[in-house]
Amino acid sequence: MKVRTRYAPSPTGALHIGNVRSGLFAYLFARHHKGTFILRIDDTDAERSSRESLEEILESLRWLSVDWDEGPPDPQYFQSNRLERYREGASRLLREGKAYPCYCSPEQLEAMRKQAEREHRKPGYDGRCRDLTPQAELAKIPIPNRAAGRNYTIRFRAPRSGSTVVEDLIKGRAVFENHELDDLIIVRSDGLPTYNFATVLDDADFGITHVVRGDDHLPNTPRQMQIFYALGIEPPAYAHLPMVMGPDGQKLSKRHGATSVFAYRELGYFPEALLNYLVRLGWSHGDQEIFSKEEMIEYFDFAACGKSAGIFNPEKLLWLNFHYLKQRSLEQLAREVRPFIEKRGWKIPGDQKWLEKMVATLRERAKTLVELADFASFYLNDEIRLDPKAAAKFLKPEIAEPLKSLARELETLEGEFTEASIQSAFQRVLADFNLKLGQLAQPVRVALTGGSVSPGIYEVIAVLGRERTVARLAKAIDLLSRQHQ
RNA sequence: GGUCCCAUCGUCUAGUGGUUAGGACACCGGCCUCUCACGUCGGGAACGGGGGUUCGAAUCCCCCUGGGAUCACCA
């Protein structure tokens, strides 16, 4: 049987990295088995679903290159376009006596829950409407429709004895006693299906063979399986992935800070790094840490998935990002950092080649594109901000003469303005004033970059160019002379 | 609280009865060096507890403890 998996996000917010990991695993499993990966949009909650969320989800997946074989823009992969199908499914269950109308109001239900809690009973629905409607009448019950004044819900008649066994591909066997399950609502009073019902119908209709999702869904699974049985359909296989937790050990959520795919894109992370990080959280292949997408697909296997929840570790993600940054060509890196520079409103005083030279001096000091752009500030803006501490430490009166001498040497350098010729200029000044390299390099660094930390001083000068270097040196010399008048 | 899931360094993990318990991130130290990085070399750091099974348990079983998820007309 050909493998068919699906990822079914609901467009009620940003695409969350914990959530997208489930999608990634479903994707990898399908690709590994040369199967089909389906993207379905669970948008039956009209209140919370939004167009923007949908767009963000689709763009996030495209950015991560998690591509789907079936799904949007095809309208049939939106639950909101399948409402007729769900009504039909509910009608059938009604007709067969496997569902019934429930006339309890949300307020009553809430009160019953509270009451049960006070009395330390389980808070589930007690089934009071289960036998209210005679069997023969059931077939005639219409699907609720508030507009038509039909204010009730349809509940699934769950079995009250026996047990439901989930043979999970990751967790192993989990046995649920059926008397623990209550009769869940499958159609709301507004006529829309609830999640557990719509999901089952979709998984059945689309021929899903393996349901891959977070283990927060494990308690839903016996309920969904019972609906499958009621429909006379064999349930799919299940694989429940452990959760991704925040540093506090709680399920990762917005309150943990940056958690959406978009957030990491804006923070200057690469999709390869995020993918690589996510795949190693809960899955492993021996001691290997770095995986290309092709390798992930080749090696992926539920047997190698861990069973326990993992804590999201931003440092490791950062390290991976650095790894992919180092691996990039200068050409690509320069191209990718551009939008980040432009976002800061900085102009690039040179062509693509110049930008590549600039990036070359910075790349091993930056772990993200954002850091790369930020470090480039002194190359791109002539109005550099002098770090007071660095200036106080290195821009002292006795260095004025060597700086003047260096400026003259650089100005009169014959031939090409290269790191090698710059170095020769430095050596002449060093010899003339009997200084060590560090004694000159640090003051120059402060004069050129504003701070005491930068790439190698020859590289900085070569990228900055003769004119801008000399201008900045002159400015520093000027500052020194004015300070000591 | 009921139900279900889980348990190896701080974190991600390897390990499927016999290992000096391995790797990675992070951390600490040496080297490199014009600063900072990069790189490189080295270091500290774990089998939650108690019972079994076995010649032998991180590995198998039970109990305890701890953590998590879930109990909606959300998904």
Side-chain angles (χ1 to χ4, degrees):
Chain A
M1 185 171 49
K2 203 178 172 204
V3 166
R4 290 172 64 83
T5 66
R6 48 72 165 177
Y7 176 47
S10 66
T12 53
L15 192 60
H16 188 270
I17 52 174
N19 189 273
V20 80
R21 190 187 60 138
S22 305
L24 173 63
F25 283 35
Y27 169 85
L28 294 176
F29 183 72
R31 287 283 173 271
H32 178 84
H33 291 281
K34 310 241 182 302
T36 305
F37 177 63
I38 296 158
L39 179 63
R40 184 217 307 160
I41 305 300
D42 279 14
D43 58 352
T44 52
D45 184 353
E47 302 268 309
R48 300 195 302 150
S49 294
S50 77
R51 181 83 212 169
E52 297 72 56
S53 292
L54 173 66
E55 287 307 324
E56 181 166 340
I57 287 167
L58 297 183
E59 204 186 326
S60 297
L61 290 173
R62 281 191 286 255
W63 183 69
L64 287 170
S65 78
V66 173
D67 51 300
W68 54 96
D69 304 303
E70 297 174 23
D74 187 334
Q76 71 162 319
Y77 294 90
F78 290 79
Q79 289 189 328
S80 54
N81 290 328
R82 290 172 40 81
L83 299 180
E84 204 41 54
R85 171 67 181 104
Y86 306 130
R87 270 192 272 273
E88 178 191 302
S91 298
R92 184 183 140 195
L93 254 24
L94 233 26
R95 210 180 314 126
E96 295 174 2
K98 292 165 179 167
Y100 60 90
C102 170
Y103 299 94
C104 301
S105 70
E107 295 72 28
Q108 279 175 287
L109 259 14
E110 182 58 29
M112 284 158 56
R113 262 195 298 275
K114 286 238 173 74
Q115 181 71 22
E117 207 173 316
R118 264 197 302 278
E119 293 168 17
H120 301 290
R121 301 191 330 265
K122 47 186 171 186
Y125 176 65
D126 63 5
R128 60 180 60 191
C129 298
R130 195 172 159 108
D131 298 309
L132 220 56
T133 310
Q135 197 75 11
E137 303 290 310
L138 247 25
K140 290 182 244 165
I141 300 292
I143 298 304
N145 181 341
R146 239 180 233 153
R150 300 218 168 85
N151 206 358
Y152 52 87
T153 62
I154 305 295
R155 279 188 190 270
F156 178 65
R157 192 187 299 276
R160 286 190 156 165
S161 61
S163 58
T164 305
V165 180
V166 182
E167 295 287 359
D168 194 85
L169 263 18
I170 293 172
K171 302 281 186 172
R173 166 178 298 205
V175 180
F176 297 84
E177 294 304 321
N178 290 340
H179 65 80
E180 297 286 348
L181 311 176
D182 60 356
D183 290 350
L184 81 180
I185 291 172
I186 57 173
V187 181
R188 304 190 290 213
S189 56
D190 60 6
L192 293 175
T194 54
Y195 164 76
N196 279 300
F197 188 55
T199 293
V200 167
L201 251 20
D202 289 342
D203 288 343
D205 289 353
F206 295 140
I208 302 304
T209 58
H210 300 259
V211 169
V212 183
R213 57 185 10 171
D215 70 10
D216 49 342
H217 286 279
L218 198 49
N220 282 325
T221 306
R223 299 166 179 282
Q224 293 183 197
M225 287 174 74
Q226 285 303 333
I227 297 175
F228 272 104
Y229 294 144
L231 256 17
I233 301 168
E234 187 61 26
Y238 291 96
H240 285 97
L241 269 357
M243 298 273 86
V244 180
M245 308 298 199
D248 58 352
Q250 307 275 302
K251 190 173 162 181
L252 193 66
S253 69
K254 315 116 238 22
R255 71 194 162 75
H256 288 106
T259 54
S260 72
V261 173
F262 265 26
Y264 283 94
R265 187 177 66 170
E266 272 160 34
L267 255 18
Y269 285 78
F270 300 113
E272 295 93 326
L274 197 50
L275 235 33
N276 198 148
Y277 178 73
L278 258 17
V279 82
R280 275 290 287 107
L281 222 191
W283 175 80
S284 61
H285 182 70
D287 282 341
Q288 187 169 342
E289 294 289 349
I290 305 296
F291 294 88
S292 67
K293 204 172 97 178
E294 290 67 34
E295 287 174 313
M296 293 178 197
I297 290 168
E298 188 186 343
Y299 302 141
F300 187 78
D301 178 14
F302 288 133
C305 287
K307 296 178 176 186
S308 48
I311 292 174
F312 179 74
N313 182 201
E315 270 96 36
K316 185 148 183 191
L317 171 57
L318 196 61
W319 172 76
L320 277 163
N321 207 64
F322 184 51
H323 169 82
Y324 284 101
L325 189 148
K326 280 186 288 190
Q327 205 135 80
R328 266 166 164 63
S329 70
L330 237 33
E331 190 274 325
Q332 186 180 2
L333 211 44
R335 191 155 33 78
E336 287 173 326
V337 78
R338 262 202 148 85
F340 288 89
I341 290 172
E342 282 157 9
K343 197 175 163 193
R344 284 160 178 68
W346 299 342
K347 291 268 176 296
I348 299 168
D351 56 10
Q352 170 74 14
K353 280 283 164 243
W354 181 85
L355 191 62
E356 286 176 22
K357 266 163 59 189
M358 182 200 87
V359 167
T361 72
L362 257 21
R363 66 182 311 172
E364 66 223 18
R365 292 170 173 79
K367 290 183 160 53
T368 66
L369 290 172
V370 162
E371 285 183 6
L372 192 58
D374 285 340
F375 289 160
S377 174
F378 72 89
Y379 281 131
L380 304 170
N381 302 294
D382 282 319
E383 292 305 317
I384 56 168
R385 195 189 56 83
L386 279 186
D387 170 32
K389 275 173 82 176
K393 185 166 178 193
F394 296 112
L395 289 183
K396 293 186 172 159
E398 60 268 27
I399 205 68
E401 283 309 315
L403 286 182
K404 272 183 210 167
S405 168
L406 180 69
R408 249 188 327 271
E409 288 282 355
L410 291 174
E411 249 177 326
T412 58
L413 262 185
E414 302 278 323
E416 281 205 69
F417 197 66
T418 64
E419 281 180 50
S421 63
I422 294 162
Q423 183 169 9
S424 68
F426 263 75
Q427 266 151 8
R428 285 191 290 278
V429 176
L430 257 26
D432 289 350
F433 290 88
N434 194 25
L435 292 173
K436 288 193 178 147
L437 180 53
Q439 294 174 292
L440 182 60
Q442 281 303 79
V444 172
R445 197 184 311 278
V446 176
L448 301 184
T449 72
S452 57
V453 172
S454 87
I457 199 66
Y458 310 138
E459 297 173 80
V460 168
I461 294 172
V463 171
L464 229 33
R466 192 194 309 256
E467 216 174 292
R468 298 170 76 205
T469 300
V470 171
R472 290 186 194 190
L473 286 176
K475 217 168 171 178
I477 293 161
D478 186 49
L479 189 77
L480 277 175
S481 66
R482 270 187 286 127
Q483 266 174 3
H484 296 281
Q485 265 171 7

